[in-house]
Amino acid sequence: MDLVIRDTRVIDGGGGPSYRADVGIRDGRIAAIRREGRPALSGTRTLDAAGLALSPGFIDMHAHSDLALLRDPSHEAKAAQGVTLEVLGQDGLSYAPVDERTLDGVRRAINGWNGGGPGDDSVDFDWRTVGEYLDRLDRGIAVNAAYLIPQGTVRMQVVGWDDRPATDAELARMSELVAEGLEQGAVGMSSGLTYTPGMYAKDAELTELCRVVASYGGYYCPHHRSYGAGALQAYEEMVALTREAGCSLHLAHATMNFGVNKGRAGDLLELLDTALADGADITLDTYPYTPGSTTLVAVLPSWAAEGGPEALLGRLGDDETAERIRHHLEEIGSDGCHGVPMEWETIEISGVSDPALAAYVGKTVEQSARERGEAPWVTARRLLIEDKLGSTILQHVGHEENVRAIMRHRVHTGGSDGILQGAKPHPRAYGTFPHYLGRYARELGILSLEETVAHLTSRPAARLRLPDRGLVQEGYRADLVLFDPETVAAGSTFESPRTLPSGIPHVLIDGKFVIEDGVRTDVLAGRSVRRTPRD
């Protein structure tokens, strides 16, 4: 063996009881597992793992590391958590497939998520197709990555930023782009149905694209049309749409937020159980925190963003149009804010693109407005304009009882939804997976440790149709995590969100140490993980 991990508690990812064993690794795969009482393994190197648990590497089903993996080789935010695979291309907006015009638009639109906006030359955008982006990842990254085709980006390329139905010819071209991306290795398609321009697509258009996804054995991952006033109806819409298309469904950051949904997780779970009993193929992911995180511009009404970022900035600069935006936000409830009238005390600025605006970070919009002696909308409007739509926010609208109920469900998986930009990002970016293990498994007992590990490993691997990941099993890839069940915990907090976790001393990808003795090595063992062709 290249490496023998001795006397470890194996939590194999299947959800069953753990057991003690030695585990041997050779050529990047698990070559042998020897339970107690069987002959010992020998190897070039041994690691005494007494007191530690060994599990498969964690799979982050909802990551926003599309540029971070290229910009930051260490990528400690995820590697230190034990994440060995991230799923990128989320919420319908990412960087492939693109043309020159689309690339500029998407860079502006999601600068708050990923950086990479105008003037940011930290990444060389030397790809245009999905396959070229995956090839770029294959040059070496910190952790493995799979990719979802972003429906909003596809629509941006074919239809533009117009709020109108696609023509037959445009729908045919979008279908071609989705098919090409799947052929090149994407695992499915995402949507951001509260983000422009993807939200302009009607159900019939989405259904046709999902038929293409289904024909390749991929899955559809929507950020659906409401997590607030119309949340349950939005979930029903996605279930019905994918069932008509014959497509597998994975519900992104499946929460029930805002005051209107307090205590209503059971309604969502009843809907899912009914569909599952009727043969639907559904999974979901969540993060173990109550606040959400997005960009400040995302809460605006969709009509204000028609035409793209420059058109939106123009509307914000016009007093009469800005007053219409305020009216929709504060009195009606914009579609960008899930149909719920804005409560500025729930909107905390977590990051800005312009360092000169750093005084806003860590304060709610209401707090900053009070300091300036002005109405909250005046403050928000100024920040949107001066930061060129690049500000990120924490949105304090979740409910702990809903979070706990949903994470217990049998189709649940873990996803950080981690935005790594900004001076004060959401702590989920650095803490989701150890928070599940330490807070919700060990301290609260919401799930057993074995079941928690299954939610974070084998279940997402099954959704991704990965034949050799997600379990500690002979022949499987040696993407592994060694952690201390008694001490593992998230270090990140809302006050110090970039603090690394504790109790995860070793992480291996392809049998190589990415984290060793709690320290990030210089190993870049990650590669793209491409769609497994359907039999």
Side-chain angles (χ1 to χ4, degrees), residues 393-421:
I393 62 173
L394 301 180
Q395 201 165 9
H396 296 271
V397 292
H399 308 286
E400 181 67 18
E401 64 270 36
N402 287 348
V403 170
R404 296 186 188 188
I406 293 170
M407 75 169 61
R408 292 189 183 101
H409 198 272
R410 65 187 185 280
V411 300
H412 169 266
T413 67
S416 71
D417 195 13
I419 294 175
L420 299 168
Q421 289 294 108

Side-chain angles (χ1 to χ4, degrees), residues 53-60 74-86 142-144 429-435 437 453 456-457 478-483 488-489 500-509 514-516 518 520:
L54 176 73
S55 81
F58 305 133
I59 298 176
D60 188 343
S74 69
H75 201 47
E76 282 188 303
K78 296 301 179 66
Q81 293 184 60
V83 171
T84 58
L85 170 60
E86 298 182 282
V143 305
N144 297 308
Y430 283 73
T432 287
F433 296 87
H435 203 46
L437 298 170
V453 168
L456 307 180
T457 58
D479 294 352
L480 301 168
V481 182
L482 281 153
F483 65 91
V488 62
L500 297 178
S502 57
I504 305 179
H506 304 291
V507 181
L508 297 92
I509 295 179
V514 174
I515 301 289
E516 186 172 10
R520 178 71 173 92

